[in-house]
Amino acid sequence: NSSLTLSGSTPQLKDSTFNFDPKRWDIVEGVVSDAIAKNNRVFLEGYFEDIKAMGANIFKIDTMDAYFKFDSESAKGRADTRPLNVPSDFHLLMTDNTHLRLQPNNDKLGCLLAIFKSDNVIIEGGNLHGDRDTHDYSDGENHEWGHTMRISASKNVTIKNMTIMDATGDGIVVHAFNHAFADTYRYSDNVLITNNKIIRARRNGISITDGKNIIIENNEIIDTGISTGSSDGTAPMWAIDIEPVWGSGGSIKYEIVENVIIRNNIEKGSEKGGFINAR
């Protein structure tokens, strides 16, 4: 548990699967203050790294229902670095009893869960809840970039058997770090998004703005872009949107999308439709 003190060489767990009990590790469940929700995020992300260092590569969470605060106060780094991040060579395994919720906020770049410059990652199962109907839009801006999950500049990623709902922006977005012409450009590669339910995303269910070798299959994408009693949908409002940005009439490629397979998905109730390929 969280009170265990270790010294000397890093011990190795005897089992490659670690069963996480939030009550033993200082995660406070239920509706909480911003400060506690921020601690929840900091603690859980730290536990991912600690358990990985001890030799376990499967982090299993069963019953948990907790809020996590996106670090909007941080002045350093991209928005991708401030949600709950999953490290490389890691399998986050959750169940139908696992609920991760984004703490209501007023940040136009809010995010709940991210894979940022991490390779060989599986996120499986569980429920992700965005804050679209509890979000503070009072600054008058669109807040269309508040995504529930970001896959950023990462390779060999699988997202499967999840329920992702109520994103302020996109349910899942796949993109790169920096632009394609920059020396620091790093794109996402070999991404599989399969057997998920994505419900009531305010902008798009799944957006791909940069990446290569991406498969989107057997997902159910429901009510994308619809307006609710508490928040209006925002464009483009498609279930799946491929949307790299090109400049100067297409002569400069800021973002590149290549080799995408979309198959056997079900779309229901989206404001605009099932699929668009735009730039």
Side-chain angles (χ1 to χ4, degrees), residues 160-203:
K160 63 181 180 180
N161 304 331
M162 303 190 72
T163 299
I164 299 171
M165 63 189 82
D166 295 319
T168 302
D170 299 337
I172 301 174
V173 60
V174 182
H175 61 112
F177 177 78
N178 225 323
H179 290 134
F181 51 76
D183 292 339
T184 55
Y185 171 66
R186 174 174 163 144
Y187 58 87
S188 292
D189 189 12
N190 191 26
V191 176
L192 172 63
I193 300 172
T194 184
N195 292 311
N196 304 286
K197 281 188 176 181
I198 302 174
I199 305 169
R200 289 186 303 275
R202 183 169 160 263
R203 185 176 179 271

Side-chain angles (χ1 to χ4, degrees), residues 241-254:
D241 178 15
I242 297 179
E243 191 181 346
V245 173
W246 291 10
S248 301
S251 61
I252 300 174
K253 294 183 179 180
Y254 289 87

Side-chain angles (χ1 to χ4, degrees), residues 48-221:
F48 291 164
E49 296 287 356
D50 292 343
I51 295 305
K52 177 185 170 183
M54 292 186 214
N57 56 15
I58 302 175
F59 191 105
K60 184 176 180 180
I61 307 174
D62 185 13
T63 301
M64 182 176 76
D65 193 333
Y67 285 84
F68 299 85
K69 187 176 186 301
F70 169 82
D71 189 6
S72 57
E73 294 87 3
S74 175
K76 297 180 181 179
R78 293 162 56 97
D80 320 55
T81 66
R82 291 179 272 162
L84 179 62
N85 281 274
V86 178
S88 292
D89 305 309
F90 198 78
H91 184 171
L92 176 58
L93 177 60
M94 299 177 283
T95 74
D96 291 343
N97 301 316
T98 314
H99 296 267
L100 308 183
R101 302 179 187 270
L102 182 61
Q103 182 79 349
N105 64 86
N106 62 358
D107 197 298
K108 62 184 178 181
L109 295 173
C111 185
L112 175 56
L113 188 64
I115 306 168
F116 179 59
K117 293 185 178 179
S118 294
D119 300 335
N120 310 314
V121 174
I122 300 171
I123 301 179
E124 178 179 1
N127 302 275
L128 302 186
H129 302 261
D131 72 324
R132 71 164 288 180
D133 281 351
T134 54
H135 190 82
D136 179 359
Y137 303 93
S138 61
D139 65 3
E141 296 198 37
N142 199 315
H143 292 237
E144 62 186 298
W145 309 119
H147 308 316
T148 305
M149 178 185 290
R150 290 178 180 267
I151 303 169
S152 309
S154 298
K155 304 185 190 311
N156 306 323
V157 172
T158 297
I159 308 298
K160 63 181 180 180
N161 304 331
M162 303 190 72
T163 299
I164 299 171
M165 63 189 82
D166 295 319
T168 302
D170 299 337
I172 301 174
V173 60
V174 182
H175 61 112
F177 177 78
N178 225 323
H179 290 134
F181 51 76
D183 292 339
T184 55
Y185 171 66
R186 174 174 163 144
Y187 58 87
S188 292
D189 189 12
N190 191 26
V191 176
L192 172 63
I193 300 172
T194 184
N195 292 311
N196 304 286
K197 281 188 176 181
I198 302 174
I199 305 169
R200 289 186 303 275
R202 183 169 160 263
R203 185 176 179 271
N204 293 320
I206 300 173
S207 291
I208 305 172
T209 64
D210 195 298
K212 300 180 182 180
N213 305 309
I214 299 167
I215 298 175
I216 302 173
E217 65 178 8
N218 301 323
N219 301 284
E220 190 171 357
I221 306 174

